[in-house]
Amino acid sequence: MTIYSEHWSLKPLEIPQRSRLFSLKPVAVGTSYTESLSSYLHRLAQAHCLSSQKLIMGEIAPLILIFEDKSELLAKNLSHLLGNRDAKPAINGMREMTGKLVTVLEELTMRQDLHFLTLLSWKGMIYDKGLFRNYRAWCPCCWEECKQENKTIYEPLLWSFKDVEFCLIHKQRLIEECPNCGSRLPVMAKFSPAGFCSRCYGWLGQEIKCEEKIQKYRVNIQGISELIALTPQLGYKPIPIELTRKLQLILLVFEQAIGKDLKLLGDLGGIMESLRIASTRNQSQPYHLVKLIIPVCEKAKISVSQLFGSDFKELGKILFENFSLELKL
């Protein structure tokens, strides 16, 4: 046996499978500040030194529109492809195009966590009409802080929601117009690096010292934040009929609590009527997150995470303890 046969092997090396696009890791998945899919697309384009439009129309669109004529594909732009003028609801929500984008993007990057950058997991559970903004919104303090601390600048999915008007960290109202040129910014533009205006390319971050009173907005923002953070932790796909059963349980608890203490009628009466109508009509239809689910959780003294993350018996135990009821399931 020669020295060469001892130290050299003719066995072919096992080369791991390579992804077509850079397998860029999304930011803060599993937290309230999970990155949005629109933000991820912009950062992915930057990683390839491409404009967002070139990346989407050159790499992603051909796989989505695989059965369409190439000449038709070339005639399309981002807004046409994504189904609406500003592209936000289609990208970060739960529409059909959202699913197609995620499927193709996960295939190209060989990642399995990109659907958490949208509300796809809640399709059929949460009513999506009017849920999202039509234009970009941002906290200038967050971006300025990220810049100063040399952190990744990105747009959280949380900022996409119409009912998220403030940043809970800096107690500042989210900005919807560029302070440099006054433009309202579309979610997907030809070139739109996070933290910069897609029209004048001015920096959008800013340090603001004074804080605004945000207490009356806190409940909705925290409820939406919990939903986003909970998504990757769910070990099952939520279904409307299961949520309906839980809401009916909450209604029962409210009725029992009022029977025990009539003073609660003033506090619970209004939400009970809304809950009774919704749980009777809906059955297997999506529920309104801000108008129903979050207010119900507040009145029931539970979090959105407890509503969706607890099984039926566990939720019942929590509710019975909250209202000091001696009931069993």
Side-chain angles (χ1 to χ4, degrees):
M1 182 177 292
T2 67
I3 187 171
Y4 299 106
S5 61
E6 289 180 6
H7 296 280
W8 290 83
S9 173
L10 297 178
K11 184 180 179 180
L13 292 175
E14 292 184 7
I15 301 176
Q17 187 179 358
R18 299 296 196 259
S19 60
R20 169 69 178 175
L21 298 179
F22 177 47
S23 186
L24 184 68
K25 183 178 180 180
V27 183
V29 173
T31 73
S32 300
Y33 288 88
T34 297
E35 183 173 18
S36 67
L37 186 62
S38 56
S39 171
Y40 183 83
L41 281 166
H42 287 311
R43 289 201 307 117
L44 187 62
Q46 285 181 272
H48 287 275
C49 298
L50 294 171
S51 67
S52 302
Q53 173 146 326
K54 284 187 177 180
L55 175 72
I56 295 174
M57 300 310 296
E59 294 289 339
I60 299 172
L63 295 181
I64 292 178
L65 306 173
I66 193 168
F67 299 112
E68 291 199 22
D69 185 85
K70 286 188 177 181
S71 60
E72 292 183 11
L73 174 60
L74 292 173
K76 293 181 183 294
N77 55 32
L78 288 180
S79 298
H80 190 176
L81 172 67
L82 298 171
N84 57 291
R85 188 181 65 181
D86 55 81
K88 190 78 167 192
I91 289 185
N92 297 327
M94 57 186 85
R95 297 183 184 179
E96 183 180 356
M97 180 54 71
T98 313
K100 291 180 179 179
L101 276 169
V102 167
T103 299
V104 168
L105 203 52
E106 288 187 335
E107 177 184 338
L108 290 171
T109 60
M110 292 179 62
R111 299 203 63 87
Q112 298 179 342
D113 53 3
L114 301 187
H115 56 289
F116 298 137
L117 312 187
T118 71
L119 282 198
L120 275 175
S121 299
W122 303 97
K123 187 173 183 178
M125 291 280 287
I126 304 298
Y127 186 63
D128 71 332
K129 188 174 181 180
L131 192 61
F132 292 96
R133 281 189 169 86
N134 290 329
Y135 296 90
R136 291 170 67 191
W138 60 91
C139 170
C141 295
C142 281
W143 277 348
E144 186 63 32
E145 190 175 280
C146 287
K147 182 181 178 182
Q148 296 298 328
E149 297 178 6
N150 200 27
K151 294 180 179 178
T152 300
I153 299 172
Y154 73 101
E155 295 183 49
L157 178 60
L158 184 66
W159 293 352
S160 300
F161 288 81
K162 191 177 292 184
D163 289 279
V164 176
E165 299 181 49
F166 288 86
C167 170
L168 293 184
I169 297 175
H170 298 102
K171 297 181 176 60
Q172 296 295 325
R173 183 179 291 274
L174 299 187
I175 305 299
E176 295 181 305
E177 294 182 357
C178 173
N180 305 301
C181 66
S183 300
R184 301 188 75 182
L185 308 179
V187 178
M188 295 304 298
K190 291 181 180 180
F191 182 70
S192 184
F196 293 87
C197 175
S198 58
R199 299 281 169 80
C200 70
Y201 305 115
W203 172 242
L204 300 175
Q206 184 182 1
E207 186 177 354
I208 303 174
K209 295 293 185 182
C210 61
E211 296 182 350
E212 297 194 43
K213 295 180 181 180
I214 63 170
Q215 197 57 38
K216 67 177 182 178
Y217 304 95
R218 186 177 294 274
V219 173
N220 284 341
I221 298 174
Q222 286 183 335
I224 296 171
S225 298
E226 288 177 17
L227 188 81
I228 293 171
L230 177 67
T231 305
Q233 302 171 25
L234 289 176
Y236 67 96
K237 181 170 177 58
I239 54 176
I241 192 64
E242 182 177 343
L243 177 57
T244 297
R245 289 184 66 231
K246 289 181 177 180
L247 293 178
Q248 289 172 342
L249 172 62
I250 293 174
L251 181 59
L252 172 64
V253 169
F254 285 168
E255 291 171 346
Q256 294 294 320
I258 290 174
K260 186 178 178 181
D261 184 0
L262 282 175
K263 293 179 181 178
L264 292 174
L265 181 61
D267 185 42
L268 301 178
I271 197 67
M272 282 178 64
E273 185 61 25
S274 299
L275 187 54
R276 187 178 290 110
I277 293 172
S279 61
T280 301
R281 287 181 180 175
N282 278 39
Q283 294 299 320
S284 60
Q285 298 297 313
Y287 289 90
H288 202 293
L289 178 62
V290 176
K291 292 183 179 179
L292 185 75
I293 293 175
I294 293 177
V296 165
C297 288
E298 181 187 17
K299 296 296 183 181
K301 305 173 189 176
I302 60 173
S303 65
V304 171
S305 297
Q306 287 175 316
L307 175 66
F308 289 110
S310 305
D311 61 32
F312 192 76
K313 287 188 176 181
E314 185 181 358
L315 179 63
K317 184 178 179 181
I318 294 171
L319 291 167
F320 300 156
E321 289 178 356
N322 287 348
F323 290 90
S324 303
L325 298 175
E326 296 181 2
L327 299 174
K328 290 184 179 181
L329 291 176

